[in-house]
Coordinates of all heavy atoms in Angstrom, one line a residue:
M1 N 12.7 18.0 3.6 CA 12.0 17.5 4.6 C 12.4 15.9 4.9 O 12.5 15.1 3.9 CB 10.4 17.4 4.4 CG 9.5 16.9 5.5 SD 9.8 17.9 7.0 CE 9.1 19.4 6.6
K2 N 12.7 15.6 6.1 CA 13.2 14.3 6.5 C 12.2 13.4 7.1 O 11.5 14.0 8.1 CB 14.5 14.3 7.1 CG 15.8 14.8 6.3 CD 16.9 14.7 7.1 CE 18.2 15.4 6.4 NZ 18.4 15.0 5.1
C3 N 12.2 12.2 6.9 CA 11.4 11.4 7.7 C 11.9 11.3 9.2 O 13.0 11.2 9.4 CB 11.4 9.8 7.1 SG 10.7 8.6 8.1
R4 N 10.8 11.4 10.1 CA 11.2 11.3 11.5 C 11.8 10.1 12.0 O 12.8 10.0 12.8 CB 10.0 11.7 12.3 CG 10.3 11.8 13.7 CD 9.0 12.1 14.5 NE 9.3 12.0 15.9 CZ 9.8 12.9 16.8 NH1 10.0 14.0 16.2 NH2 9.9 12.6 18.0
Q5 N 11.4 9.0 11.3 CA 11.9 7.7 11.8 C 13.3 7.3 11.1 O 14.3 7.0 11.9 CB 10.8 6.6 11.6 CG 11.3 5.3 12.0 CD 10.1 4.4 12.5 OE1 9.4 4.9 13.4 NE2 9.8 3.3 11.8
C6 N 13.4 7.3 9.8 CA 14.5 6.8 9.2 C 15.4 7.9 8.6 O 16.5 7.6 8.2 CB 14.1 5.8 8.0 SG 13.4 6.6 6.6
R7 N 15.0 9.2 8.8 CA 15.8 10.3 8.5 C 16.1 10.5 7.0 O 17.0 11.1 6.5 CB 17.2 10.3 9.2 CG 17.0 10.5 10.7 CD 16.6 11.9 11.0 NE 16.1 12.0 12.4 CZ 15.5 13.0 12.7 NH1 15.1 13.9 12.0 NH2 15.1 13.2 14.1
R8 N 15.4 9.7 6.2 CA 15.5 9.8 4.8 C 14.8 11.0 4.1 O 13.9 11.5 4.8 CB 14.8 8.6 4.1 CG 15.2 8.2 2.7 CD 14.9 6.7 2.4 NE 13.4 6.6 2.6 CZ 12.9 5.4 2.2 NH1 13.5 4.4 1.8 NH2 11.5 5.2 2.4
D9 N 15.3 11.6 3.2 CA 14.5 12.7 2.5 C 13.3 12.3 1.8 O 13.3 11.3 1.2 CB 15.5 13.4 1.5 CG 16.5 14.4 2.1 OD1 16.0 15.1 2.9 OD2 17.7 14.3 1.6
I10 N 12.3 13.0 2.1 CA 10.9 12.5 1.6 C 10.5 13.6 0.5 O 10.6 14.8 0.8 CB 9.9 12.5 2.7 CG1 10.4 12.0 4.0 CG2 8.8 11.6 2.1 CD1 9.5 12.1 5.1
P11 N 10.3 13.1 -0.7 CA 9.6 14.1 -1.7 C 8.4 14.7 -1.2 O 7.7 13.9 -0.4 CB 9.3 13.1 -2.9 CG 10.2 11.8 -2.6 CD 10.4 11.7 -1.1
Q12 N 8.1 15.8 -1.6 CA 6.9 16.5 -1.3 C 5.6 15.7 -1.2 O 4.9 15.7 -0.3 CB 6.8 17.7 -2.0 CG 5.4 18.6 -1.6 CD 5.7 19.7 -0.8 OE1 6.9 20.0 -0.6 NE2 4.8 20.4 -0.2
D13 N 5.3 14.9 -2.3 CA 4.1 14.1 -2.3 C 4.1 12.8 -1.8 O 3.3 12.1 -1.8 CB 3.6 14.1 -3.8 CG 4.6 14.3 -4.9 OD1 5.5 15.2 -4.6 OD2 4.8 13.6 -5.8
D14 N 5.3 12.4 -1.1 CA 5.4 11.2 -0.4 C 5.4 11.4 1.1 O 5.7 10.3 1.8 CB 6.6 10.4 -0.8 CG 6.3 9.6 -2.2 OD1 5.2 9.4 -2.4 OD2 7.3 9.3 -2.8
R15 N 5.0 12.5 1.6 CA 5.0 12.7 2.9 C 3.7 12.2 3.6 O 2.6 12.5 3.1 CB 5.1 14.1 3.4 CG 6.5 14.7 3.0 CD 6.6 16.1 3.4 NE 5.6 16.9 3.1 CZ 5.5 18.3 3.3 NH1 6.6 18.9 3.5 NH2 4.5 19.0 2.8
Y16 N 3.8 11.5 4.8 CA 2.7 11.1 5.5 C 2.8 11.6 6.9 O 3.9 11.6 7.5 CB 2.6 9.6 5.6 CG 2.4 9.0 4.2 CD1 3.4 8.8 3.2 CD2 1.1 8.6 3.9 CE1 3.2 8.3 2.1 CE2 0.8 8.1 2.5 CZ 1.8 8.0 1.6 OH 1.6 7.5 0.4
E17 N 1.7 12.2 7.3 CA 1.7 12.8 8.6 C 0.9 11.8 9.7 O -0.1 11.2 9.5 CB 0.9 14.1 8.6 CG 1.3 14.8 9.9 CD 0.6 16.2 9.8 OE1 0.4 16.8 8.8 OE2 0.1 16.7 11.0
H18 N 1.7 11.7 10.8 CA 1.2 10.8 11.9 C 1.4 11.4 13.2 O 2.6 11.7 13.5 CB 1.6 9.3 11.8 CG 1.1 8.4 12.9 ND1 -0.3 8.1 12.8 CD2 1.7 8.0 14.0 CE1 -0.4 7.4 14.0 NE2 0.7 7.2 14.7
A19 N 0.5 11.8 14.0 CA 0.7 12.4 15.4 C 1.5 13.6 15.3 O 2.4 13.9 16.1 CB 1.3 11.3 16.3
G20 N 1.4 14.4 14.3 CA 2.1 15.7 14.2 C 3.4 15.5 13.5 O 4.2 16.5 13.4
N21 N 4.0 14.4 13.2 CA 5.2 14.2 12.6 C 5.2 13.7 11.2 O 4.1 13.1 10.9 CB 5.9 13.1 13.5 CG 6.2 13.6 14.9 OD1 6.8 14.7 15.1 ND2 5.9 12.9 15.8
L22 N 6.1 14.0 10.5 CA 6.1 13.4 9.1 C 7.0 12.3 8.9 O 8.0 12.1 9.4 CB 6.6 14.6 8.1 CG 5.7 15.8 8.0 CD1 6.3 17.0 7.3 CD2 4.5 15.4 7.3
Y23 N 6.5 11.3 8.1 CA 7.2 10.0 7.8 C 7.1 9.8 6.3 O 6.3 10.3 5.6 CB 6.5 8.9 8.6 CG 6.6 9.1 10.1 CD1 5.4 9.6 10.7 CD2 7.5 8.8 10.9 CE1 5.4 9.9 12.0 CE2 7.6 8.7 12.2 CZ 6.4 9.4 12.9 OH 6.4 9.5 14.2
C24 N 8.1 9.0 5.8 CA 8.1 8.5 4.6 C 7.0 7.4 4.5 O 6.5 6.9 5.5 CB 9.5 7.9 4.2 SG 10.0 6.3 4.9
E25 N 6.8 7.0 3.3 CA 5.7 5.9 3.1 C 6.0 4.7 3.8 O 5.1 4.1 4.5 CB 5.5 5.7 1.6 CG 4.3 4.8 1.3 CD 4.1 4.8 -0.3 OE1 5.1 4.8 -1.0 OE2 2.9 4.6 -0.7
D26 N 7.1 4.1 3.7 CA 7.4 2.9 4.3 C 7.3 3.0 5.9 O 6.8 2.0 6.4 CB 9.0 2.5 4.1 CG 9.1 2.2 2.7 OD1 8.1 1.9 2.0 OD2 10.3 2.0 2.2
C27 N 7.9 4.0 6.5 CA 7.7 4.1 7.9 C 6.3 4.2 8.4 O 6.0 3.8 9.4 CB 8.7 5.3 8.4 SG 10.4 5.1 8.2
Y28 N 5.6 5.1 7.6 CA 4.2 5.3 8.1 C 3.4 4.1 8.1 O 2.7 3.8 8.8 CB 3.6 6.3 7.0 CG 2.1 6.6 7.2 CD1 1.8 7.5 8.1 CD2 1.1 6.2 6.2 CE1 0.5 7.8 8.4 CE2 -0.1 6.5 6.5 CZ -0.5 7.4 7.6 OH -1.8 7.7 7.8
I29 N 3.7 3.1 7.1 CA 3.0 1.8 7.1 C 3.4 1.1 8.3 O 2.6 0.5 8.9 CB 3.2 1.1 5.8 CG1 2.6 1.9 4.6 CG2 2.8 -0.3 5.9 CD1 3.2 1.5 3.3
Q30 N 4.7 1.1 8.5 CA 5.1 0.5 9.8 C 4.5 0.9 11.1 O 4.2 0.1 11.9 CB 6.6 0.4 9.8 CG 7.3 -0.6 9.0 CD 8.8 -0.3 8.8 OE1 9.4 0.0 9.8 NE2 9.5 -0.5 7.6
I31 N 4.4 2.3 11.0 CA 3.9 2.8 12.4 C 2.4 2.6 12.6 O 1.9 2.2 13.6 CB 4.1 4.3 12.2 CG1 5.5 4.7 12.5 CG2 3.1 5.0 13.3 CD1 6.0 6.1 12.0
L32 N 1.7 2.5 11.4 CA 0.3 2.3 11.5 C 0.1 0.7 11.8 O -0.9 0.4 12.3 CB -0.5 2.6 10.2 CG -0.6 3.9 9.8 CD1 -1.5 4.1 8.7 CD2 -1.1 4.7 11.1
S33 N 1.0 -0.1 11.3 CA 0.9 -1.6 11.7 C 2.1 -2.1 12.0 O 2.9 -2.8 11.3 CB 0.2 -2.2 10.3 OG 0.3 -3.6 10.5
P34 N 2.6 -1.9 13.4 CA 4.0 -2.4 13.7 C 4.0 -3.9 13.7 O 5.1 -4.4 13.6 CB 4.2 -1.7 15.1 CG 2.8 -1.3 15.5 CD 1.9 -1.2 14.3
T35 N 3.0 -4.6 14.1 CA 3.1 -6.0 14.3 C 2.5 -6.8 13.3 O 2.8 -8.0 13.0 CB 2.6 -6.4 15.6 OG1 1.3 -5.9 15.8 CG2 3.4 -5.9 16.7
R36 N 1.4 -6.3 12.5 CA 0.6 -7.0 11.7 C 0.7 -6.2 10.2 O -0.2 -5.7 9.7 CB -0.9 -7.2 12.0 CG -1.0 -7.8 13.4 CD -2.3 -7.7 13.9 NE -3.5 -8.2 13.0 CZ -4.6 -7.9 13.0 NH1 -5.1 -7.0 13.9 NH2 -5.5 -8.4 12.3
F37 N 1.9 -6.7 9.6 CA 2.1 -6.0 8.5 C 1.3 -6.4 7.2 O 1.0 -5.6 6.3 CB 3.6 -6.3 8.0 CG 4.1 -5.4 6.9 CD1 4.4 -4.2 7.0 CD2 4.0 -6.0 5.6 CE1 4.8 -3.4 5.8 CE2 4.5 -5.3 4.4 CZ 4.8 -4.0 4.6
C38 N 0.6 -7.6 7.4 CA -0.1 -8.1 6.1 C -1.4 -7.5 6.1 O -1.9 -7.3 5.0 CB -0.1 -9.6 6.2 SG 1.3 -10.4 5.8
D39 N -1.9 -7.1 7.2 CA -3.5 -6.6 7.1 C -3.6 -5.4 6.3 O -4.6 -5.3 5.5 CB -3.9 -6.5 8.5 CG -4.3 -7.9 9.1 OD1 -4.4 -8.8 8.4 OD2 -4.6 -7.9 10.3
P40 N -2.8 -4.2 6.5 CA -3.1 -3.2 5.7 C -2.6 -3.2 4.2 O -2.6 -2.3 3.6 CB -2.3 -2.0 6.5 CG -1.2 -2.8 7.1 CD -1.7 -4.3 7.4
W41 N -2.1 -4.3 3.9 CA -1.3 -4.5 2.5 C -2.4 -4.1 1.5 O -2.1 -3.4 0.5 CB -0.8 -5.9 2.4 CG 0.1 -6.0 1.2 CD1 1.4 -5.7 1.1 CD2 -0.4 -6.3 -0.2 NE1 1.8 -5.9 -0.2 CE2 0.8 -6.3 -0.9 CE3 -1.7 -6.7 -0.7 CZ2 0.8 -6.5 -2.3 CZ3 -1.6 -6.9 -2.0 CH2 -0.5 -6.9 -2.8
A42 N -3.6 -4.7 1.5 CA -4.6 -4.5 0.7 C -5.0 -3.0 0.5 O -5.0 -2.5 -0.7 CB -5.9 -5.3 1.2
D43 N -5.1 -2.3 1.7 CA -5.5 -1.0 1.6 C -4.4 -0.2 0.9 O -4.5 0.7 0.1 CB -5.7 -0.4 3.0 CG -6.2 1.0 3.0 OD1 -7.2 1.3 2.1 OD2 -5.8 1.7 3.9
Y44 N -3.1 -0.4 1.4 CA -2.0 0.1 0.8 C -1.9 -0.1 -0.6 O -1.7 0.9 -1.4 CB -0.7 -0.4 1.5 CG 0.6 -0.1 0.9 CD1 1.0 1.2 0.7 CD2 1.4 -1.1 0.3 CE1 2.1 1.5 0.1 CE2 2.6 -0.7 -0.3 CZ 2.9 0.6 -0.4 OH 4.2 0.9 -1.0
S45 N -2.1 -1.2 -1.1 CA -2.0 -1.6 -2.6 C -3.1 -0.8 -3.3 O -2.7 -0.3 -4.4 CB -2.3 -3.1 -2.8 OG -1.3 -3.7 -2.2
A46 N -4.2 -0.7 -2.8 CA -5.3 0.1 -3.5 C -4.9 1.5 -3.6 O -5.0 2.1 -4.8 CB -6.7 0.0 -2.7
K47 N -4.3 2.2 -2.6 CA -4.0 3.4 -2.4 C -2.7 3.6 -3.5 O -2.6 4.7 -4.3 CB -3.5 3.8 -1.2 CG -4.6 4.2 -0.4 CD -4.1 4.8 1.0 CE -5.4 5.1 1.8 NZ -5.1 4.6 3.2
S48 N -1.8 2.6 -3.6 CA -0.8 2.6 -4.4 C -1.1 2.7 -5.8 O -0.6 3.4 -6.7 CB 0.1 1.4 -4.2 OG 1.4 1.6 -4.5
F49 N -2.2 1.8 -6.2 CA -2.7 1.9 -7.6 C -3.1 3.2 -8.0 O -2.8 3.7 -9.0 CB -3.9 1.0 -7.7 CG -3.6 -0.5 -7.8 CD1 -4.1 -1.5 -7.0 CD2 -2.8 -0.8 -9.0 CE1 -3.8 -2.8 -7.2 CE2 -2.5 -2.2 -9.1 CZ -2.9 -3.3 -8.4
E50 N -3.9 3.9 -7.0 CA -4.4 5.3 -7.3 C -3.3 6.2 -7.5 O -3.3 7.0 -8.5 CB -5.1 5.7 -6.1 CG -6.6 5.3 -6.1 CD -7.4 5.6 -4.8 OE1 -7.7 6.7 -4.7 OE2 -7.6 4.8 -4.0
K51 N -2.3 6.1 -6.6 CA -1.2 7.1 -6.6 C -0.3 7.0 -7.8 O -0.1 8.0 -8.2 CB -0.3 6.7 -5.4 CG 0.7 7.7 -5.0 CD 1.4 7.3 -3.7 CE 2.8 7.9 -3.7 NZ 3.3 7.4 -2.4
H52 N -0.3 6.0 -8.4 CA 0.5 5.7 -9.7 C -0.5 5.9 -10.9 O 0.0 5.5 -11.9 CB 1.3 4.3 -9.7 CG 2.4 4.4 -8.5 ND1 2.2 3.7 -7.4 CD2 3.5 5.1 -8.5 CE1 3.1 3.8 -6.7 NE2 4.1 4.7 -7.2
G53 N -1.6 6.3 -10.7 CA -2.5 6.6 -11.8 C -3.0 5.3 -12.5 O -3.2 5.4 -13.7
M54 N -3.0 4.2 -11.8 CA -3.3 3.0 -12.4 C -4.9 2.8 -12.3 O -5.4 1.6 -12.7 CB -2.5 1.8 -11.8 CG -1.1 2.0 -12.2 SD -0.2 0.9 -11.1 CE -0.6 -0.8 -11.8
I55 N -5.6 3.6 -11.7 CA -7.0 3.4 -11.5 C -7.8 3.5 -12.8 O -8.7 2.7 -12.9 CB -7.6 4.3 -10.4 CG1 -7.2 3.9 -9.1 CG2 -9.2 4.6 -10.5 CD1 -7.8 2.6 -8.5
S56 N -7.4 4.3 -13.6 CA -8.2 4.5 -14.9 C -7.2 4.7 -16.1 O -6.3 5.6 -16.0 CB -9.1 5.7 -14.7 OG -9.8 5.7 -16.0
P57 N -7.4 3.9 -17.0 CA -8.2 2.7 -17.2 C -7.5 1.6 -16.5 O -6.3 1.4 -16.6 CB -8.3 2.5 -18.7 CG -7.0 3.0 -19.3 CD -6.5 4.2 -18.2
L58 N -8.4 0.6 -15.9 CA -7.7 -0.4 -15.3 C -7.8 -1.6 -16.4 O -8.7 -1.8 -17.2 CB -8.8 -0.9 -14.2 CG -8.6 -0.2 -12.9 CD1 -9.7 -0.7 -11.9 CD2 -7.3 -0.3 -12.2
T59 N -6.8 -2.4 -16.4 CA -6.7 -3.6 -17.2 C -7.6 -4.6 -16.4 O -7.9 -4.5 -15.2 CB -5.3 -4.2 -17.3 OG1 -4.8 -4.6 -16.0 CG2 -4.4 -3.1 -17.8
E60 N -7.9 -5.7 -17.1 CA -8.8 -6.8 -16.4 C -8.1 -7.3 -15.2 O -8.7 -7.6 -14.1 CB -9.0 -7.9 -17.4 CG -10.1 -7.4 -18.4 CD -11.4 -7.0 -17.7 OE1 -11.9 -7.6 -16.9 OE2 -12.0 -5.9 -18.3
P61 N -6.8 -7.7 -15.3 CA -6.2 -8.4 -14.1 C -6.2 -7.3 -12.9 O -6.2 -7.8 -11.8 CB -4.7 -8.5 -14.5 CG -4.7 -8.7 -16.0 CD -5.8 -7.8 -16.5
Q62 N -6.0 -6.0 -13.2 CA -6.1 -4.9 -12.0 C -7.4 -4.8 -11.5 O -7.5 -4.7 -10.3 CB -5.6 -3.6 -12.7 CG -4.1 -3.5 -12.9 CD -3.8 -2.2 -13.7 OE1 -4.5 -1.6 -14.4 NE2 -2.5 -1.9 -13.6
K63 N -8.5 -4.9 -12.4 CA -9.8 -4.9 -11.9 C -10.1 -6.1 -10.9 O -10.7 -6.0 -9.8 CB -10.8 -5.0 -12.9 CG -11.1 -3.6 -13.7 CD -12.2 -3.7 -14.7 CE -12.0 -2.8 -15.7 NZ -12.8 -3.0 -17.0
M64 N -9.5 -7.2 -11.5 CA -9.7 -8.4 -10.6 C -8.9 -8.3 -9.3 O -9.5 -8.7 -8.3 CB -9.2 -9.6 -11.4 CG -9.6 -10.9 -10.9 SD -8.6 -12.3 -11.7 CE -9.2 -12.2 -13.3
L65 N -7.8 -7.9 -9.3 CA -7.1 -7.7 -8.1 C -7.8 -6.8 -7.1 O -7.9 -7.1 -5.9 CB -5.7 -7.0 -8.2 CG -4.7 -8.1 -8.9 CD1 -3.4 -7.3 -9.2 CD2 -4.5 -9.2 -7.9
L66 N -8.2 -5.6 -7.5 CA -9.0 -4.6 -6.6 C -10.2 -5.4 -6.1 O -10.6 -5.0 -5.0 CB -9.2 -3.3 -7.4 CG -8.1 -2.4 -7.7 CD1 -8.6 -1.2 -8.5 CD2 -7.5 -1.9 -6.5
K67 N -10.9 -6.0 -6.9 CA -12.1 -6.6 -6.5 C -11.9 -7.6 -5.4 O -12.5 -7.8 -4.3 CB -12.8 -7.4 -7.7 CG -14.2 -8.0 -7.4 CD -14.9 -8.3 -8.8 CE -16.1 -9.2 -8.5 NZ -15.8 -10.6 -8.3
L68 N -10.7 -8.5 -5.7 CA -10.4 -9.4 -4.6 C -10.0 -8.7 -3.3 O -10.3 -9.2 -2.2 CB -9.1 -10.3 -5.2 CG -9.4 -11.4 -6.1 CD1 -8.1 -12.0 -6.7 CD2 -10.2 -12.5 -5.4
I69 N -9.2 -7.7 -3.4 CA -8.7 -7.0 -2.3 C -10.0 -6.5 -1.4 O -10.0 -6.6 -0.1 CB -7.9 -5.9 -2.6 CG1 -6.5 -6.4 -3.2 CG2 -7.6 -4.9 -1.4 CD1 -5.6 -5.4 -3.8
K70 N -11.0 -5.9 -2.2 CA -12.1 -5.5 -1.5 C -12.8 -6.6 -0.8 O -13.4 -6.5 0.3 CB -13.1 -4.7 -2.4 CG -12.5 -3.3 -2.7 CD -13.4 -2.6 -3.8 CE -12.8 -1.2 -4.1 NZ -13.4 -0.8 -5.4
E71 N -13.0 -7.7 -1.5 CA -13.8 -8.9 -1.1 C -13.1 -9.6 0.2 O -13.8 -9.9 1.2 CB -14.0 -9.9 -2.3 CG -15.2 -9.6 -3.2 CD -15.2 -10.4 -4.3 OE1 -14.5 -11.4 -4.3 OE2 -16.1 -10.2 -5.2
L72 N -11.7 -9.7 0.0 CA -11.1 -10.4 1.1 C -10.8 -9.5 2.3 O -10.7 -10.0 3.4 CB -9.7 -11.0 0.6 CG -9.8 -12.0 -0.6 CD1 -8.5 -12.3 -1.1 CD2 -10.5 -13.2 -0.2
G73 N -10.8 -8.2 2.1 CA -10.5 -7.2 3.2 C -9.0 -7.3 3.3 O -8.5 -6.2 3.7
K74 N -8.4 -8.3 3.1 CA -6.9 -8.3 3.1 C -6.4 -9.3 2.1 O -7.2 -10.2 1.7 CB -6.4 -8.7 4.4 CG -6.6 -10.0 4.9 CD -5.8 -10.4 6.1 CE -6.0 -12.1 6.2 NZ -5.1 -12.4 7.4
A75 N -5.2 -9.3 1.6 CA -4.8 -10.2 0.7 C -3.2 -10.1 0.8 O -2.7 -9.1 0.7 CB -5.3 -9.8 -0.7
E76 N -2.7 -11.4 0.6 CA -1.3 -11.5 0.5 C -0.9 -11.7 -1.0 O -1.7 -12.2 -1.8 CB -0.8 -12.7 1.2 CG -1.4 -12.7 2.7 CD -0.4 -13.2 3.7 OE1 0.7 -13.3 3.4 OE2 -1.0 -13.2 4.8
P77 N 0.3 -11.1 -1.3 CA 0.7 -11.3 -2.8 C 0.5 -12.7 -3.4 O 0.0 -12.9 -4.4 CB 2.2 -10.9 -2.8 CG 2.3 -10.0 -1.6 CD 1.3 -10.4 -0.6
A78 N 0.9 -13.7 -2.5 CA 0.8 -15.1 -3.1 C -0.7 -15.5 -3.4 O -0.9 -16.1 -4.3 CB 1.5 -16.0 -2.0
E79 N -1.5 -15.0 -2.4 CA -2.9 -15.3 -2.6 C -3.5 -14.6 -3.8 O -4.2 -15.3 -4.5 CB -3.7 -14.6 -1.2 CG -4.8 -15.4 -0.7 CD -5.4 -14.7 0.5 OE1 -4.5 -14.2 1.1 OE2 -6.5 -14.8 0.7
L80 N -3.0 -13.4 -4.1 CA -3.6 -12.7 -5.3 C -3.1 -13.4 -6.5 O -3.8 -13.6 -7.5 CB -3.1 -11.3 -5.4 CG -3.8 -10.4 -4.2 CD1 -3.2 -9.0 -4.2 CD2 -5.2 -10.4 -4.4
I81 N -1.8 -13.8 -6.5 CA -1.4 -14.6 -7.6 C -2.2 -15.8 -7.9 O -2.5 -16.0 -9.1 CB 0.2 -14.8 -7.5 CG1 0.9 -13.6 -7.6 CG2 0.7 -15.9 -8.6 CD1 2.4 -13.7 -7.0
E82 N -2.5 -16.5 -6.9 CA -3.3 -17.8 -7.0 C -4.5 -17.4 -7.8 O -5.0 -18.1 -8.8 CB -3.6 -18.3 -5.6 CG -2.5 -19.2 -5.0 CD -2.2 -20.3 -5.9 OE1 -3.2 -21.0 -6.4 OE2 -1.0 -20.5 -6.3
H83 N -5.3 -16.3 -7.3 CA -6.5 -16.1 -7.8 C -6.4 -15.5 -9.3 O -7.3 -15.8 -10.0 CB -7.1 -14.8 -7.0 CG -7.7 -15.3 -5.8 ND1 -8.9 -15.9 -5.6 CD2 -7.4 -15.2 -4.5 CE1 -9.3 -16.3 -4.4 NE2 -8.2 -15.8 -3.6
T84 N -5.4 -14.8 -9.7 CA -5.1 -14.3 -11.0 C -4.8 -15.3 -12.0 O -5.0 -15.2 -13.1 CB -4.3 -13.2 -11.1 OG1 -3.1 -13.6 -10.4 CG2 -4.8 -11.9 -10.2
R85 N -4.4 -16.5 -11.4 CA -4.0 -17.6 -12.3 C -5.1 -18.2 -13.0 O -5.0 -19.0 -13.9 CB -3.2 -18.6 -11.5 CG -1.6 -18.3 -11.6 CD -1.0 -19.2 -10.8 NE 0.4 -19.2 -10.8 CZ 1.3 -19.8 -9.9 NH1 0.7 -20.6 -9.0 NH2 2.5 -19.7 -10.0
G86 N -6.2 -18.1 -12.3 CA -7.6 -18.7 -12.9 C -7.6 -20.2 -12.7 O -8.1 -20.8 -13.6
G87 N -6.7 -20.6 -11.8 CA -6.9 -22.1 -11.5 C -6.0 -23.0 -12.3 O -6.1 -24.1 -12.2
N88 N -5.1 -22.3 -13.0 CA -4.3 -23.2 -13.9 C -3.1 -23.8 -13.0 O -2.3 -23.0 -12.4 CB -3.6 -22.4 -14.9 CG -4.8 -22.2 -16.0 OD1 -5.6 -22.9 -16.2 ND2 -4.6 -21.1 -16.6
Ligands
ZN1 ZN1 11.1 6.7 7.0

């Protein structure tokens, strides 16, 4: 199965369906947010954590990140790094 947009081969569990077409993860994210890439980042990260089995057990930094993502609604990597540094 190939991504409709970039024509890359997509593994079975990495397929994303949008408007009846299949896309790879990267293209799917771009399609959902063509102009504002940063906003869905938080949601994407949370899903990515889950997908890679990092939800349980969570390390303290991971818990902190997920909490921040939920609270902020969106978060940029630099922002998260700032928060996890604990003000040092
Ligand atoms: Zn693609």
Side-chain angles (χ1 to χ4, degrees):
M1 186 56 72
K2 289 185 193 305
C3 169
R4 184 180 165 85
Q5 181 143 305
C6 69
R7 295 289 170 196
R8 198 162 59 177
D9 274 321
I10 327 169
Q12 179 97 8
D13 20 321
D14 275 337
R15 292 189 314 194
Y16 293 81
E17 197 181 325
H18 179 69
N21 296 309
L22 289 169
Y23 298 92
C24 69
E25 189 172 32
D26 292 346
C27 293
Y28 181 69
I29 291 163
Q30 279 172 37
I31 286 158
L32 290 191
S33 177
T35 54
R36 296 169 61 205
F37 187 78
C38 284
D39 283 351
W41 192 87
D43 189 42
Y44 166 63
S45 297
K47 278 183 184 141
S48 202
F49 276 130
E50 273 176 73
K51 192 167 150 188
H52 295 107
M54 290 167 72
I55 279 297
S56 178
L58 283 176
T59 64
E60 285 306 315
Q62 284 170 344
K63 280 183 201 163
M64 196 190 293
L65 283 179
L66 285 180
K67 187 165 167 280
L68 277 171
I69 289 167
K70 278 179 192 157
E71 280 173 8
L72 298 174
K74 65 165 190 173
E76 313 220 4
E79 215 175 334
L80 292 175
I81 289 166
E82 276 304 308
H83 281 285
T84 52
R85 272 178 175 167
N88 285 330

